[in-house]
Amino acid sequence: MPTEEDLQQDSDGAQQPKQQTLDGDTAEIDYKESSSSQGAKVRRVIRKYNLDGLGQELKQKYTGPGRRWSLRELEEEFNLEVLDHSTRGAQVKEEEYHDCIQRLKSNDRELTQERLRLLGVDGKEVLNDMVTYETIRLYLKNFHGATAQERFVSPSKSAETVELLHHRLRRVLSDILERHHRRDEVPAEPEIDSTVGVVCPDCGATVSAVKYLQLQTCPNCL
């Protein structure tokens, strides 16, 4: 199992990777959060904020017993811990703190950074310390030996995951369209259809992916 020092050495001198955002822009990614870091960023941030025991807690929630958390839930849990610890030394009111939480949940990083700056917190540093669910997955795999193979996910649970992704996509698309509409770059905000369908291999009908998973079969073939 790699040590954090080994992984950090592997990243030295590497070119800063880039990715394309949903808006079509090119954005820089924190290198420590790229796949080559193998999840070491999580360990580094845990040490930075003295989040002792959080790594083991993430593993417990991911592998059970009891309800097993998804990687996206663990991502949100971890990032909220970072937000909480980074604002403890500042005079942040409860409503201001919850406003930052809502901005983070809506993936509004630009406004979150500005909001934190106005509260006397280095928003750029805080956001750079936050991670994605893929980084959480690599951390659990390489530093705790926890993998998805240890988890049993029922079709109904998978349907819930698809539904969550559906709502998240609707929210992201809505924000993008609203922003371009305010700039008079699109004539109006169209109705959003972000449903995901699958084609039944038996009858050839296109049906809701959520329904297909919930019923474990095509509703037209019942």
Side-chain angles (χ1 to χ4, degrees):
M1 189 173 295
T3 65
E4 184 178 7
E5 289 72 20
D6 293 335
L7 298 171
Q8 186 62 43
Q9 289 174 2
D10 290 341
S11 66
D12 289 343
Q15 185 177 1
Q16 191 82 345
K18 296 178 181 293
Q19 69 175 1
Q20 194 172 45
T21 67
L22 288 173
D23 289 319
D25 300 324
T26 299
E28 290 188 350
I29 311 170
D30 181 355
Y31 188 81
K32 296 185 182 65
E33 199 170 349
S34 67
S35 59
S36 62
S37 73
Q38 301 295 302
K41 178 179 179 180
V42 174
R43 195 175 188 182
R44 175 180 63 80
V45 175
I46 286 176
R47 290 174 174 174
K48 176 179 178 179
Y49 292 96
N50 296 316
L51 302 174
D52 299 331
L54 181 58
Q56 190 62 35
E57 182 182 335
L58 292 173
K59 179 186 177 182
Q60 285 290 102
K61 289 180 176 180
Y62 185 56
T63 60
R67 185 181 83 83
R68 296 179 177 181
W69 290 41
S70 70
L71 287 169
R72 291 188 182 277
E73 288 177 314
L74 295 177
E75 171 197 345
E76 183 174 294
E77 175 87 353
F78 185 89
N79 290 338
L80 288 180
E81 284 283 350
V82 171
L83 178 65
D84 179 60
H85 279 70
S86 64
T87 56
R88 286 187 178 179
Q91 299 297 319
V92 179
K93 297 179 180 178
E94 185 175 353
E95 58 268 23
E96 294 172 331
Y97 175 75
H98 287 290
D99 178 66
C100 288
I101 291 178
Q102 292 306 313
R103 293 179 188 278
L104 278 177
K105 288 184 176 181
S106 63
N107 294 321
D108 197 341
R109 293 176 65 89
E110 182 178 347
L111 288 179
T112 302
Q113 180 175 326
E114 178 62 17
R115 181 66 161 156
L116 288 170
R117 187 188 68 79
L118 294 174
L119 296 174
V121 179
D122 188 337
K124 183 176 182 180
E125 179 180 359
V126 173
L127 292 179
N128 282 340
D129 285 336
M130 293 185 179
V131 301
T132 65
Y133 70 90
E134 175 64 13
T135 305
I136 293 286
R137 183 188 70 79
L138 289 169
Y139 167 75
L140 291 172
K141 175 184 176 182
N142 292 311
F143 292 96
H144 288 279
T147 64
Q149 281 70 30
E150 298 181 48
R151 298 162 52 85
F152 170 76
V153 180
S154 67
S156 61
K157 183 64 177 177
S158 295
E160 292 178 13
T161 300
V162 173
E163 193 70 31
L164 287 173
L165 292 173
H166 163 71
H167 289 305
R168 177 171 292 189
L169 178 58
R170 282 185 62 89
R171 186 169 63 245
V172 171
L173 284 174
S174 178
D175 290 344
I176 290 172
L177 291 168
E178 181 185 1
R179 182 161 62 250
H180 287 298
H181 179 55
R182 289 199 308 266
R183 298 171 183 169
D184 293 326
E185 295 171 339
V186 294
E189 295 181 47
E191 183 177 347
I192 298 173
D193 181 8
S194 60
T195 56
V196 179
V198 295
V199 178
C200 174
D202 295 323
C203 70
T206 300
V207 298
S208 163
V210 173
K211 283 292 184 183
Y212 193 87
L213 287 166
Q214 289 174 336
L215 298 173
Q216 299 182 45
T217 187
C218 172
N220 295 337
C221 297
L222 289 175

